[in-house]
Amino acid sequence: MISSREKILKAIRGCELENKHLPSLNFGECKQEDLLAKFSQTLAAIGGRCRKVGGVEQIDAYIQEAGSKYPCIINAVSELRGFNIIDFVNADARTLASTAIFIVRGSVAIAENGAIWVTEKNIGNRSLPFLCQHLIIVVTEEDLVVDMHDAYEKNAIDIDGYGVFIAGPSKTADIEQSLVIGAHGPLSLEVFIIESSSNKP
């Protein structure tokens, strides 16, 4: 007499499933997208802003104007005026707490989710992107990629060491699903994208 267990196992063995191919991971067909438009749209959806500029001069002008309102600006992009991150590399959180604006260079900007890869080498001090009131990230058009697959291919994480993906300003909706911007980090994120023909920062 065949037990129920053997009947079930026999039925499973007799069940032949159709072979299916694994999904393709080739995202090459997405390469023709307008990456800048897609990145700008995604970034706006998560609370950030994107500006395309012709060169570093336009960013300098923006920072100069902001400097009249915010006395404490820390700049980690050496090609811009007011490069002063060297003075804050070893500063503690109390010293950095009054930072109004922090400017840093991003390595990769992802159109799919609006995230930007920032390395420790460019940050100078790991606390600054999270303690400042307003965060500015500078990238070039060449830094734009379609998705995370492209980002991981482009990133040299084993060389960079520490790095972080930053997507928009600080946000939370823990309480009653009410969105609050800047609850425990920057109130705003502004991304400057320098045109391809311009000098890279």
Side-chain angles (χ1 to χ4, degrees), residues 158-171:
D158 55 336
I159 298 174
D160 293 337
Y162 173 81
V164 60
F165 283 107
I166 298 175
S170 167
K171 301 177 285 295

Side-chain angles (χ1 to χ4, degrees), residues 56-131:
V56 294
E57 299 81 11
Q58 290 177 259
I59 306 174
D60 277 332
Y62 177 87
I63 295 170
Q64 189 173 5
E65 183 180 345
S68 61
K69 292 192 296 184
Y70 302 107
C72 184
I73 298 176
I74 299 178
N75 177 13
V77 181
S78 60
E79 290 77 7
L80 299 175
R81 291 182 188 172
F83 176 73
N84 60 355
I85 186 61
I86 296 171
D87 299 333
F88 299 94
V89 169
N90 297 315
D92 60 20
R94 291 180 183 176
T95 304
L96 302 176
S98 61
T99 305
I101 297 177
F102 177 53
I103 308 152
V104 63
R105 171 82 166 91
S107 301
V108 179
I110 306 164
E112 175 188 43
N113 56 17
I116 302 156
W117 175 252
V118 181
T119 67
E120 184 170 37
K121 178 183 175 185
N122 291 334
I123 292 174
N125 186 314
R126 292 185 183 186
S127 301
L128 275 168
F130 311 104
L131 290 178

Side-chain angles (χ1 to χ4, degrees), residues 48-59:
R49 288 176 298 189
C50 178
R51 295 184 185 204
K52 184 179 180 181
V53 294
V56 294
E57 299 81 11
Q58 290 177 259
I59 306 174

